[in-house]
Amino acid sequence: MDFDVFIVGGGPVGLMTASELALAGVRTCIIERRHTPSHYSKALTLHPRSIEILEMRGLAERFKEKGRPLPAGHFAGLNQALDFSVLDTRANYTLFIPQTETEKVLEEHVQHLGVCILRGHEVLAVRQREESAELVVQGPDGLSFLTASYIVGADGAGSTVRKQAEIAFFGTDASVTAKLGDVALENPPKSHFHTCINQEGAVVIVPLSPGIYRVISMASHKPQPLLHEPVTLEELKKDITSICGTDFGINHPVWMSRFGNASRLAECYRSGRLFLAGDAAHIHFPAGGQGLNVGLQDAMNLGWKLAAVINGRSSDWLLDTYHTERHPVGAELLRNTQIQTKLFDFTREGLYLRDLLSSLLTFPDVNRYLAEQITALSVDYEADEKMPEHHLNGKRLPDFELTLAGGNTKHLYSFLHKGSFLYVTFGEEQIKLPDLPHVRIIRAKAIDDRPEWDDVKAALIRPDGHVAWAVSRSQAESEQWIADGIRRWCGNVHIQSA
Ligand SMILES: Cc1cc2nc3c(=O)[nH]c(=O)nc-3n(C[C@H](O)[C@H](O)[C@H](O)COP(=O)(O)OP(=O)(O)OC[C@H]3O[C@@H](n4cnc5c(N)ncnc54)[C@H](O)[C@@H]3O)c2cc1C
């Protein structure tokens, strides 16, 4: 079979990208070097914006069944947790869910959508030509040479696609390391999120699955062991005893690993027919639990754009917006994780600073500012400069209730399940659009408690839940702008005056 897109890497980001492409009818194949999915979970959290995008596709319930909601998140493991319950979202919590479960749900979903997954295949080389992109793949039956229109590198930190595309990965190597152990504890702590932080270092313990706990330790003493040195149970036991005064009866390690604060960002997320997403584009210390989340959001931004171009509805400018919109988000992710790493300072002065910042987090505005950053709810995109100015342009939309012209109320995200655009008109119909598979049209009466929508005559909502543009009632030549805006974003469709 011929494919339009090869995705290198079947981790969470590759799977999410495949799901978005397949939803739009794009012939997609994932190439994954692992023969079977990983049994171990690096990530344990899905944050509000990720839950929102899953809700947009009608998938959130499946994740909620496998996870546990917690009303909080954290910044640098400060004693005062971040309160997510105050955020402007229906998903105002952290979903505690092991990465293995996230991948399992996504893999079932993409299989249902007909995505081909080639496991046990490793991409060795990538090349692009004017009309196509090519891969050299090592599989169980030897080498094969594959061709598609585009390639997405979702192949993690050591990305072959990034290296083959010669995209620079600027940043710094690890200077701080931490240890992780998924272990049994004979005398586990009582709380669900147990932390000990003092001049000896920091320990975090959370229950993972029946009888198994995730223990993370960062000892303050130097020098730091090298990243590739295996963690021993003795080493972990020594850390937690010196930091917590007990070893909690640690035994039976299921998985132990060491990780560090190498921070790097790809110089560009696109090179012609090649794209990078997730850890292939950005790596950092996993502080605040953000990497997988930001990767899913990269995928959500890229998928519909690539599909629009492949399906002949848009041109290259849209693909360039993937870099211009997501690269600044990656840069901000590195900045906030570097700040958090700096705060893992266990000297006396460092602990004073942590106490001070903890007390600042009790101020609602400070809590909201950092919580919106960690959860990615503060991510808005630049307004489309080809459209008239409107304060909603580029903004992320929460899942608010709309009252439809007929009087029914519906949540906004329920119209985005198929990954189409949503064209919303208020009042009299302004223009007539033909039936289009990729544009859902609704007539709305009002959006309650959202004064920022009061002046809107019509708006186009992107498949990823951001406003492409809104046109106000007072806008001169509004019908012309609306028609132009639809053609610009949704393809050259035939539009009549109403
Ligand atoms: C200790 C730790 C805790 C973390 N906790 C959190 C958290 O709580 N929340 C959070 O959001 N993030 C967390 N992260 C980060 C998160 O795990 C990563 O950001 C996430 O796995 C990135 O997903 P990905 O799909 O981009 O890459 P990966 O998960 O690395 O997947 C890449 C895939 O590509 C495959 N691959 C690589 N090269 C090739 C090739 N040449 N050919 C074919 N296949 C290839 C690999 O086998 C792999 O399956 C944590 C990370 C660590 C280390």
Coordinates of all heavy atoms in Angstrom, one line a residue, residues 446-483:
A446 N -26.1 32.2 21.5 CA -25.3 32.9 22.5 C -24.3 32.0 23.1 O -24.4 30.8 23.1 CB -26.2 33.4 23.6
I447 N -23.3 32.6 23.7 CA -22.4 31.9 24.5 C -22.4 32.6 25.9 O -22.0 33.7 26.0 CB -20.9 31.9 24.0 CG1 -20.9 31.2 22.6 CG2 -20.0 31.2 24.9 CD1 -19.6 31.3 21.9
D448 N -23.0 31.9 26.9 CA -23.3 32.6 28.2 C -21.9 32.7 28.9 O -21.0 31.9 28.8 CB -24.2 31.7 29.0 CG -25.6 31.7 28.4 OD1 -25.9 32.7 27.7 OD2 -26.3 30.7 28.6
D449 N -21.9 33.8 29.7 CA -20.7 34.1 30.6 C -19.4 34.2 29.9 O -18.4 33.9 30.5 CB -20.6 33.0 31.7 CG -21.9 32.8 32.5 OD1 -22.5 33.9 32.7 OD2 -22.3 31.7 32.8
R450 N -19.4 34.5 28.6 CA -18.2 34.7 27.9 C -18.3 36.0 27.1 O -18.6 36.1 25.9 CB -18.0 33.6 26.8 CG -17.8 32.2 27.4 CD -16.4 32.0 27.8 NE -16.3 30.8 28.7 CZ -15.2 30.5 29.3 NH1 -14.1 31.1 29.2 NH2 -15.2 29.4 30.2
P451 N -18.2 37.1 27.9 CA -18.4 38.5 27.3 C -17.5 38.7 26.1 O -17.8 39.5 25.2 CB -18.0 39.5 28.4 CG -17.5 38.6 29.5 CD -17.8 37.2 29.3
E452 N -16.3 38.0 26.0 CA -15.4 38.3 24.9 C -16.0 37.8 23.6 O -15.5 38.1 22.5 CB -14.0 37.6 25.2 CG -14.0 36.1 25.2 CD -14.3 35.5 26.6 OE1 -15.0 36.2 27.4 OE2 -13.9 34.3 26.9
W453 N -17.1 37.1 23.6 CA -17.8 36.6 22.4 C -19.0 37.5 22.0 O -19.6 37.3 21.0 CB -18.3 35.2 22.6 CG -17.2 34.2 22.4 CD1 -16.3 33.8 23.3 CD2 -16.9 33.5 21.2 NE1 -15.4 32.9 22.8 CE2 -15.7 32.7 21.5 CE3 -17.4 33.4 19.9 CZ2 -15.1 31.8 20.6 CZ3 -16.8 32.5 19.0 CH2 -15.7 31.8 19.3
D454 N -19.3 38.5 22.9 CA -20.6 39.3 22.7 C -20.6 39.9 21.3 O -21.7 40.1 20.7 CB -20.7 40.3 23.8 CG -21.2 39.7 25.1 OD1 -21.5 38.4 25.0 OD2 -21.2 40.4 26.1
D455 N -19.5 40.4 20.8 CA -19.5 41.2 19.5 C -19.3 40.3 18.3 O -19.2 40.8 17.2 CB -18.4 42.3 19.6 CG -17.0 41.7 19.4 OD1 -16.8 40.5 19.8 OD2 -16.2 42.4 18.8
V456 N -19.2 39.0 18.5 CA -18.8 38.1 17.3 C -20.0 37.9 16.4 O -21.1 37.5 16.8 CB -18.2 36.8 17.8 CG1 -17.9 35.9 16.7 CG2 -16.9 37.0 18.6
K457 N -19.7 38.1 15.1 CA -20.8 37.8 14.1 C -20.6 36.4 13.6 O -21.5 35.6 13.3 CB -20.6 38.8 13.0 CG -21.6 38.8 11.9 CD -21.4 40.0 11.0 CE -22.5 40.1 10.0 NZ -22.5 41.4 9.3
A458 N -19.3 36.0 13.3 CA -19.0 34.7 12.9 C -17.5 34.4 13.3 O -16.7 35.3 13.4 CB -19.1 34.6 11.4
A459 N -17.3 33.1 13.5 CA -15.9 32.7 13.9 C -15.6 31.3 13.3 O -16.5 30.5 13.1 CB -15.7 32.6 15.4
L460 N -14.3 31.2 13.0 CA -13.9 29.9 12.5 C -12.9 29.3 13.5 O -11.9 29.9 13.9 CB -13.1 30.0 11.1 CG -12.7 28.7 10.5 CD1 -14.0 27.9 10.0 CD2 -11.7 28.9 9.4
I461 N -13.3 28.1 14.0 CA -12.5 27.4 15.0 C -11.7 26.3 14.4 O -12.2 25.5 13.6 CB -13.4 26.9 16.1 CG1 -14.0 28.1 16.8 CG2 -12.6 26.0 17.1 CD1 -15.2 27.8 17.6
R462 N -10.4 26.3 14.7 CA -9.5 25.3 14.0 C -9.8 23.9 14.6 O -10.3 23.8 15.7 CB -8.0 25.7 14.3 CG -7.7 27.1 13.8 CD -6.3 27.6 14.2 NE -5.4 26.8 14.8 CZ -4.0 27.1 14.9 NH1 -3.6 28.2 14.3 NH2 -3.2 26.3 15.5
P463 N -9.3 22.9 13.9 CA -9.5 21.5 14.5 C -8.8 21.3 15.8 O -9.2 20.4 16.5 CB -8.9 20.6 13.4 CG -9.0 21.4 12.1 CD -8.9 22.8 12.5
D464 N -7.8 22.1 16.1 CA -7.1 21.9 17.4 C -7.7 22.8 18.5 O -7.0 23.0 19.5 CB -5.6 22.1 17.2 CG -5.2 23.5 16.7 OD1 -6.2 24.4 16.5 OD2 -4.1 23.7 16.4
G465 N -8.8 23.4 18.3 CA -9.5 24.1 19.4 C -8.9 25.5 19.6 O -9.1 26.1 20.7
H466 N -8.3 26.1 18.6 CA -7.9 27.5 18.7 C -8.8 28.3 17.7 O -9.2 27.8 16.7 CB -6.4 27.7 18.3 CG -5.5 27.3 19.5 ND1 -4.9 28.2 20.2 CD2 -5.2 26.1 20.0 CE1 -4.2 27.6 21.2 NE2 -4.3 26.3 21.0
V467 N -8.9 29.6 17.9 CA -9.7 30.4 17.0 C -8.8 30.8 15.8 O -7.8 31.4 16.0 CB -10.2 31.7 17.7 CG1 -11.0 32.6 16.7 CG2 -11.0 31.4 18.9
A468 N -9.3 30.4 14.6 CA -8.5 30.8 13.4 C -8.8 32.3 13.2 O -7.8 33.1 13.0 CB -9.0 30.1 12.2
W469 N -10.0 32.7 13.3 CA -10.4 34.2 13.2 C -11.8 34.3 13.7 O -12.6 33.4 13.7 CB -10.2 34.7 11.8 CG -10.9 33.9 10.7 CD1 -10.2 33.1 9.9 CD2 -12.3 33.8 10.4 NE1 -11.1 32.5 9.0 CE2 -12.4 32.9 9.3 CE3 -13.4 34.4 10.9 CZ2 -13.6 32.6 8.7 CZ3 -14.7 34.1 10.3 CH2 -14.7 33.2 9.2
A470 N -12.1 35.5 14.2 CA -13.5 35.9 14.5 C -13.7 37.3 13.9 O -12.8 38.1 13.8 CB -13.6 36.0 16.0
V471 N -14.9 37.5 13.4 CA -15.2 38.8 12.7 C -16.4 39.4 13.6 O -17.4 38.7 13.9 CB -15.7 38.5 11.3 CG1 -16.3 39.8 10.7 CG2 -14.5 38.1 10.4
S472 N -16.1 40.7 13.9 CA -17.1 41.3 14.8 C -18.3 41.9 14.0 O -18.2 42.1 12.8 CB -16.4 42.4 15.6 OG -16.2 43.5 14.8
R473 N -19.4 42.1 14.7 CA -20.6 42.7 14.1 C -20.3 44.1 13.5 O -20.9 44.5 12.5 CB -21.7 42.9 15.1 CG -22.2 41.6 15.6 CD -23.3 41.9 16.7 NE -23.3 40.9 17.7 CZ -23.9 39.7 17.6 NH1 -24.5 39.4 16.5 NH2 -23.8 38.8 18.6
S474 N -19.3 44.8 14.1 CA -19.1 46.2 13.6 C -18.0 46.2 12.5 O -17.7 47.3 12.0 CB -18.6 47.0 14.8 OG -17.4 46.4 15.3
Q475 N -17.5 45.1 12.1 CA -16.5 45.0 11.1 C -17.1 45.4 9.7 O -18.1 44.9 9.2 CB -15.9 43.6 11.0 CG -14.9 43.3 9.9 CD -13.6 44.2 10.1 OE1 -13.1 44.1 11.2 NE2 -13.2 44.9 9.1
A476 N -16.4 46.4 9.0 CA -16.8 46.8 7.7 C -16.6 45.6 6.7 O -15.7 44.9 6.9 CB -16.0 48.0 7.2
E477 N -17.5 45.5 5.8 CA -17.4 44.4 4.8 C -17.2 43.0 5.4 O -16.4 42.2 5.0 CB -16.2 44.7 3.8 CG -16.4 46.0 3.0 CD -15.2 46.3 2.2 OE1 -14.2 45.5 2.1 OE2 -15.2 47.4 1.6
S478 N -18.0 42.8 6.4 CA -17.8 41.6 7.2 C -18.0 40.3 6.4 O -17.3 39.3 6.5 CB -18.7 41.5 8.5 OG -20.0 41.7 8.1
E479 N -19.0 40.4 5.5 CA -19.3 39.2 4.7 C -18.1 38.8 3.8 O -17.8 37.6 3.7 CB -20.6 39.4 3.8 CG -21.8 39.2 4.6 CD -23.1 39.6 3.9 OE1 -23.0 39.6 2.6 OE2 -24.0 40.0 4.5
Q480 N -17.5 39.8 3.2 CA -16.4 39.6 2.4 C -15.2 39.0 3.2 O -14.6 38.0 2.8 CB -15.9 40.9 1.7 CG -14.8 40.7 0.7 CD -15.3 39.8 -0.5 OE1 -16.4 39.9 -1.0 NE2 -14.5 38.8 -0.8
W481 N -15.0 39.5 4.4 CA -13.9 39.0 5.3 C -14.2 37.5 5.7 O -13.3 36.7 5.7 CB -13.8 39.8 6.5 CG -13.0 41.1 6.3 CD1 -13.5 42.4 6.4 CD2 -11.6 41.2 5.9 NE1 -12.4 43.3 6.1 CE2 -11.3 42.5 5.8 CE3 -10.7 40.2 5.6 CZ2 -10.0 43.0 5.4 CZ3 -9.4 40.7 5.3 CH2 -9.1 42.0 5.2
I482 N -15.5 37.3 6.0 CA -15.8 35.9 6.4 C -15.6 34.9 5.2 O -14.9 33.9 5.4 CB -17.3 35.8 6.9 CG1 -17.4 36.6 8.2 CG2 -17.8 34.4 7.0 CD1 -18.9 36.8 8.6
A483 N -16.0 35.3 4.0 CA -15.8 34.4 2.9 C -14.3 34.2 2.6 O -13.8 33.1 2.4 CB -16.5 35.0 1.7

